[in-house]
Amino acid sequence: MGEARDVMDRLTEALTTTPDLKSVAELYASDAVAVTPDGGEIHGRDNIVEYWRQMTDAMPEATYEPVHSYEIGDTAVDEGYFTGRNTGPIQLPSGEHLPATQKEVRVRGIDIATVRDGHIVDYRLYFDQMEFLGQLGLLPPDPLG
């Protein structure tokens, strides 16, 4: 196992079951960039950790079920399922908070992390936001039935 794979596995562990944001912060370079479907482009370790804090607050006991894991040079790629119950408030991009829905979600996603000198410098997360919001019951009813 190479450095990228090790760092990605440690990130996944630090974000699921018993979140550890201090460990998450230690895995990112100070000038790291992350791109997520719901947060857009996020610059800097502190802002990236804040993004993850919002997720771990909303779903503090989430788990990750890997489907495929790869390492290509300095980059690790994971495909799998994020599963959890929404027991904490959900922060919207506007800064507003929605109360917990108490609903379970299971969403397939892909994470890509490029690692240099033991730290993530570039991180990409892909998942279907509509599926996520639908499972939380946060989408308006379909007018077509």
Side-chain angles (χ1 to χ4, degrees):
M1 170 175 19
E3 181 178 60
R5 177 81 265 142
D6 177 61
V7 170
M8 179 72 98
D9 291 346
R10 289 174 29 218
L11 176 65
T12 300
E13 179 66 28
L15 290 171
T16 57
T17 309
T18 52
D20 179 358
L21 294 177
K22 182 179 179 205
S23 292
V24 170
E26 291 169 355
L27 294 171
Y28 281 94
S30 62
D31 60 347
V33 175
V35 178
T36 70
D38 53 341
E41 192 168 295
I42 306 166
H43 293 267
R45 173 192 301 132
D46 294 342
N47 293 325
I48 295 168
V49 171
E50 175 59 19
Y51 170 82
W52 288 123
R53 184 199 59 74
Q54 292 170 25
M55 183 62 78
T56 59
D57 283 355
M59 298 190 175
E61 296 179 2
T63 60
Y64 180 76
E65 175 190 336
V67 175
H68 297 286
S69 297
Y70 304 100
E71 183 177 48
I72 305 104
D74 62 358
T75 301
V77 179
D78 282 347
E79 176 186 1
Y81 288 95
F82 172 85
T83 304
R85 177 182 295 278
N86 174 222
T87 59
I90 300 169
Q91 186 169 337
L92 301 174
S94 66
E96 297 175 82
H97 288 84
L98 295 176
T101 65
Q102 302 302 321
K103 296 195 178 192
E104 293 277 343
V105 298
R106 185 170 191 263
V107 179
R108 192 173 195 144
I110 294 183
D111 301 75
I112 304 168
T114 300
V115 175
R116 290 199 186 91
D117 299 322
H119 296 95
I120 299 168
V121 295
D122 184 73
Y123 179 82
R124 310 265 170 188
L125 172 63
Y126 300 94
F127 65 90
D128 186 332
Q129 283 185 301
M130 296 298 280
E131 180 181 10
F132 182 70
L133 294 172
Q135 289 181 28
L136 288 172
L138 298 175
L139 293 178
D142 184 348
L144 301 176

